[in-house]
Amino acid sequence: MEPINEHDKRKLENAPFGQLGLIMASGCREMGTEIDHYLTLWRAERQNEHLGSPSYAGYKQPTYIINSKVPRFGTGEAKAVLSQSVRGMDLYILVDVVNYSETYKMFSFENHMSPDDHFANLKRVIAAVAGKARRITVIMPYLYESLQSKRTSRESLDCAIALQELVRMGVDNIITFDAHDPRVQNAIPLNGFDTVQPTYQFIKGLLRTYDDLKIDSDHMLIISPDEGGMKRAVYFANVLGLDMGMFYKRRDYTRLVNGANPIVAFEFLGSSVAGKDMVVVDDMLASGDSALEVAAALKKRGAKRVFFFATFGLFTDGLQKIDEAHEKGIIDKVFTTNLIYQPQELLDRPWHSSCDLSKYIAYIIDTLNHDSSISDLLDPAERIWKIVANYKKQHSCGQDKKPEPND
């Protein structure tokens, strides 16, 4: 009888594409370590009749992390250095391009790394590989320059240029999360590009945080804060069996504020929100201004509670505005992921909850290394139905009760 694997949840029959290697670019050390933990745990337990064959050479390792560093010269210039051979490996390179906590010295000044610095370091690491790897996959949760993914006037197309540059350097696949505009993949139509949605992790986080949710159309509504996020909200609404609404942003196209046209008004399209819990789904919280306006508009219409799901909690203008909104009862909870850097002050906020994606990324890496399909990971509908059904079973009291007018 085969031993029961306590932690290994996936059955992978294909032989590995190559020996697995994990490189953490600057800013991804903590998440990379967690991913490596899961990979080593699963593979230590995994049983396969072909483990002794040459195709499985180096399959079970104490760690899959390839030690790398990017030392800086006094001028701020840099180089990438790998401490071991990567010849013939199936490499996965993690990079967090918005980790502003990383610093380096230039002419005795302490500089915080910008997205440009992180992207340059990624290219340095790829250059250090020097074409010796069998396959290179870049895992870039926040897609570099994703806010500049389309052209509306005489302006640069930075995201498309960056993708093409990575492909020219030998990258085979790019995995990102919740791309601001996934159509940017048209820039590299012959290469792998996957944009992953953390839908399951958000729903699981919400269900673990609250024990009084009534998940039906009478008590809950999915909200898209703008027309650009409709597809994302439609998926949430469909898998949860809920109705949805959206806000239409009217902008002032005669001027720019912080690189964008300012919003002058929000118009809501959808059914009544009175007495219902609102789940607002977006790809990111940047300054947080739009989120606060959406939450205030929902509360004004009689919403019971307002929850935010945002894959990337950037909070570029700080946390004070969200603190004040929470104290006033405008926002109840904000769920973000650990796909990007999260300062401790954010993690300590009572209105914030972090959804861990390390295990999910480890599943993706493990499956791709076996050259197997990740379709079931990209569409977690069945897993969502299962946890929602279990939640309703455990908290069945009052699930079918209609909301009272003053709820």
Side-chain angles (χ1 to χ4, degrees):
M1 179 184 293
E2 276 192 358
I4 297 175
N5 299 334
E6 182 183 355
H7 304 99
D8 184 13
K9 304 298 183 184
R10 292 181 70 76
K11 190 174 183 180
L12 301 170
E13 300 292 346
N14 295 355
F17 183 83
Q19 185 176 338
L20 178 61
L22 182 64
I23 297 179
M24 298 174 294
S26 55
C28 280
R29 190 70 52 186
E30 186 175 344
M31 172 173 276
T33 303
E34 281 294 308
I35 293 170
D36 182 63
H37 164 73
Y38 287 115
L39 291 171
T40 54
L41 181 67
W42 297 336
R43 295 192 172 200
E45 296 178 344
R46 187 168 293 158
Q47 301 298 316
N48 189 299
E49 59 181 329
H50 303 294
L51 280 178
S53 68
S55 60
Y56 277 82
Y59 187 75
K60 295 188 177 185
Q61 297 287 342
T63 181
Y64 298 97
I65 295 174
I66 306 297
N67 289 323
S68 64
K69 56 184 179 179
V70 182
R72 293 269 176 179
F73 300 101
T75 59
E77 298 168 288
K79 63 179 178 180
V81 180
L82 303 181
S83 63
Q84 66 190 83
S85 172
V86 295
R87 185 179 295 276
M89 280 191 170
D90 186 16
L91 285 183
Y92 295 81
I93 307 175
L94 278 75
V95 59
D96 176 9
V97 298
V98 288
N99 188 337
Y100 58 88
S101 71
E102 295 288 316
T103 61
Y104 65 92
K105 281 195 173 182
M106 183 176 73
F107 292 99
S108 77
F109 293 101
E110 194 78 15
N111 278 6
H112 285 266
M113 290 184 66
S114 70
D116 293 339
D117 290 319
H118 285 291
F119 188 68
N121 277 1
L122 170 64
K123 292 189 291 182
R124 291 182 177 110
V125 169
I126 296 170
V129 173
K132 301 300 190 297
R134 179 171 295 182
R135 182 172 65 183
I136 297 177
T137 299
V138 169
I139 301 178
M140 185 187 295
Y142 182 94
L143 186 61
Y144 174 70
E145 290 289 357
S146 58
L147 292 178
Q148 186 52 32
S149 58
K150 62 180 182 292
R151 176 179 286 154
T152 56
S153 62
R154 290 184 295 274
E155 57 189 21
S156 57
L157 281 170
D158 298 55
C159 189
I161 292 171
L163 293 177
Q164 291 178 348
E165 191 171 6
L166 291 178
V167 167
R168 285 196 297 269
M169 293 187 72
V171 173
D172 298 278
N173 302 294
I174 297 170
I175 297 174
T176 189
F177 282 77
D178 215 347
H180 192 65
D181 187 348
R183 291 173 296 182
V184 74
Q185 65 186 291
N186 294 334
I188 50 169
L190 301 180
N191 290 80
F193 181 96
D194 289 295
T195 176
V196 186
Q197 302 288 337
T199 312
Y200 174 76
Q201 286 77 14
F202 277 140
I203 294 173
K204 183 170 68 173
L206 179 65
L207 299 184
R208 286 182 174 179
T209 305
Y210 294 91
D211 60 5
D212 61 343
L213 298 170
K214 298 178 177 63
I215 308 170
D216 56 52
S217 295
D218 292 326
H219 300 88
M220 187 175 285
L221 197 66
I222 303 294
I223 302 293
S224 173
D226 53 42
E227 61 275 19
M230 279 287 289
K231 184 176 180 181
R232 187 183 301 110
V234 166
Y235 183 82
F236 270 90
N238 284 341
V239 295
L240 291 174
L242 303 177
D243 293 333
M244 68 157 289
M246 68 161 284
F247 280 89
Y248 167 66
K249 295 177 182 177
R250 286 201 290 117
R251 295 181 179 271
D252 181 0
Y253 287 99
T254 63
R255 59 196 180 98
L256 289 174
V257 177
N258 294 329
N261 301 108
I263 300 166
V264 296
F266 280 88
E267 305 293 344
F268 181 70
L269 304 174
S271 58
S272 173
V273 307
K276 299 178 183 178
D277 287 331
M278 301 290 107
V279 179
V280 185
V281 184
D282 208 353
D283 59 336
M284 67 180 72
L285 281 176
S287 66
D289 290 339
S290 295
L292 293 178
E293 291 191 39
V294 166
L298 291 171
K299 285 289 187 175
K300 187 177 179 180
R301 288 168 170 81
K304 182 181 177 183
R305 290 178 292 192
V306 177
F307 310 122
F308 266 88
F309 291 166
T311 306
F312 306 109
L314 300 171
F315 303 104
T316 54
D317 289 347
L319 305 174
Q320 184 177 355
K321 290 183 290 187
I322 312 294
D323 289 338
E324 294 172 356
H326 177 66
E327 290 172 4
K328 294 176 181 177
I330 297 173
I331 290 180
D332 292 88
K333 203 76 172 179
V334 176
F335 295 84
T336 67
T337 72
N338 67 334
L339 291 169
I340 60 172
Y341 169 69
Q342 294 178 310
Q344 189 60 46
E345 60 175 346
L346 172 63
L347 298 175
D348 292 339
R349 287 302 199 270
W351 48 261
H352 177 261
S353 180
S354 178
C355 300
D356 188 3
L357 270 293
S358 303
K359 190 174 185 180
Y360 189 31
I361 295 178
Y363 276 136
I364 292 173
I365 291 174
D366 196 23
T367 305
L368 290 178
N369 179 241
H370 279 266
D371 236 11
S372 298
S373 173
I374 59 172
S375 296
D376 62 318
L377 292 173
L378 299 181
D379 183 6
E382 291 188 5
R383 284 180 290 151
I384 292 172
W385 295 333
K386 183 177 179 180
I387 61 170
V388 170
N390 288 338
Y391 180 89
K392 288 183 176 181
K393 185 177 180 181
Q394 295 172 9
H395 307 87
S396 58
C397 181
Q399 283 287 347
D400 298 324
K401 179 189 172 186
K402 301 266 185 187
E404 296 297 332
N406 296 323
D407 268 3

